[in-house]
Amino acid sequence: MKVVAFNGSPWPGGNTATLIGWVFDALQAQGVETELCELAGQEICQCPVCRGYEGSPDGACPDGLRRVDSWLGRMVEADGILLASPVHHATVSDELKAVMDRCGRVERLRGNPLARKVGAAVVAARRAGAIQALDAIDRFFLIHRMIVPGTSQWNIGIGKARGDVERDAEGRRAMGELGDAMAWLMRRVAA
Ligand SMILES: Cc1cc2nc3c(=O)[nH]c(=O)nc-3n(C[C@H](O)[C@H](O)[C@H](O)COP(=O)(O)O)c2cc1C
């Protein structure tokens, strides 16, 4: 069992990274392998939402920009996908949105390889907009026919400056519960 996480923060090692780390702790305790993909500093190809892929039967990127192949390939290899973002203006970061838009489009062209994988969203927020960001990510999972585990808390960590989220004990508990829920669900999907 493996989970790949995408950190949509432009600042590696910030609050979003901390939240991912807590989910990873719970997953690893259940014997689940984890992989982190940092989006900070990655060149986001500026093709118009991967229109170029439409001319390619297997969805291979025709202009040599391989980033989408790499992101989607990691998702396809994994049993579970964790998409994590800071809240930016009451929604997800540019970085995470680029992954969702580009991988989402190519996923369709490749015959929906994400269908029935487990997907979970995590967001770091200072004050407001966390539900909107969670909802944007959850809708990505649902339109790609993925399965989203519920938890008894919203998957949110509260903090502004790097490290602030460490003081959010409830957020930490929620991340642990999310890791447990992902591991439980992935095992049942695979059974
Ligand atoms: C451009 C920008 C926009 C932001 N917009 C919001 C917002 O709408 N609501 C909110 O609660 N926090 C907002 N924040 C604060 C971040 O979500 C918060 O500081 C978060 O913990 C940062 O996570 P990180 O350290 O992983 O980047 C914004 C931060 C930035 C840089």
Side-chain angles (χ1 to χ4, degrees), residues 3 19-34 172-184 186-187:
V3 167
L19 299 176
I20 293 171
W22 289 336
V23 181
F24 276 7
D25 289 345
L27 287 165
Q28 288 163 7
Q30 304 260 357
V32 176
E33 190 187 336
T34 56
R172 184 175 199 147
R173 276 198 303 279
M175 298 307 136
E177 191 179 323
L178 180 62
D180 288 345
M182 288 185 84
W184 184 93
M186 288 188 301
R187 292 212 168 88

Side-chain angles (χ1 to χ4, degrees), residues 98-179:
V99 167
M100 294 196 296
D101 287 347
R102 285 159 179 78
C103 291
R105 191 149 177 82
V106 178
E107 198 263 353
R108 286 271 167 99
L109 290 165
R110 292 189 183 169
N112 302 109
L114 299 186
R116 298 203 167 78
K117 289 185 186 291
V118 171
V122 160
V123 302
R126 182 179 79 87
R127 176 174 292 272
I131 290 295
Q132 289 86 343
L134 282 181
D135 190 55
I137 301 171
D138 283 344
R139 284 177 191 280
F140 171 87
F141 295 138
L142 294 174
I143 198 74
H144 292 285
R145 303 191 226 166
M146 295 173 64
I147 306 168
V148 179
T151 61
S152 66
Q153 293 291 337
W154 306 111
N155 308 334
I156 296 167
I158 300 296
K160 181 183 179 189
R162 178 188 296 246
D164 279 355
V165 82
E166 300 271 356
R167 293 196 290 272
D168 181 5
E170 193 172 52
R172 184 175 199 147
R173 276 198 303 279
M175 298 307 136
E177 191 179 323
L178 180 62

Side-chain angles (χ1 to χ4, degrees), residues 15-140:
N15 291 324
T16 311
T18 299
L19 299 176
I20 293 171
W22 289 336
V23 181
F24 276 7
D25 289 345
L27 287 165
Q28 288 163 7
Q30 304 260 357
V32 176
E33 190 187 336
T34 56
E35 180 189 1
L36 176 63
C37 179
E38 290 281 4
L39 299 178
Q42 288 210 27
E43 179 194 343
I44 306 295
C45 38
Q46 293 301 321
C47 51
V49 198
C50 291
R51 249 176 220 293
Y53 281 82
E54 284 176 355
S56 162
D58 65 349
C61 186
D63 62 7
L65 287 168
R66 296 288 169 211
R67 208 163 305 280
V68 177
D69 291 323
S70 156
W71 291 333
L72 187 59
R74 289 182 201 195
M75 291 186 193
V76 172
E77 277 173 17
D79 304 283
I81 299 159
L82 185 65
L83 295 184
S85 180
V87 175
H88 283 179
H89 290 99
T91 188
V92 296
S93 66
D94 288 355
E95 287 82 353
L96 192 72
K97 188 67 163 63
V99 167
M100 294 196 296
D101 287 347
R102 285 159 179 78
C103 291
R105 191 149 177 82
V106 178
E107 198 263 353
R108 286 271 167 99
L109 290 165
R110 292 189 183 169
N112 302 109
L114 299 186
R116 298 203 167 78
K117 289 185 186 291
V118 171
V122 160
V123 302
R126 182 179 79 87
R127 176 174 292 272
I131 290 295
Q132 289 86 343
L134 282 181
D135 190 55
I137 301 171
D138 283 344
R139 284 177 191 280
F140 171 87

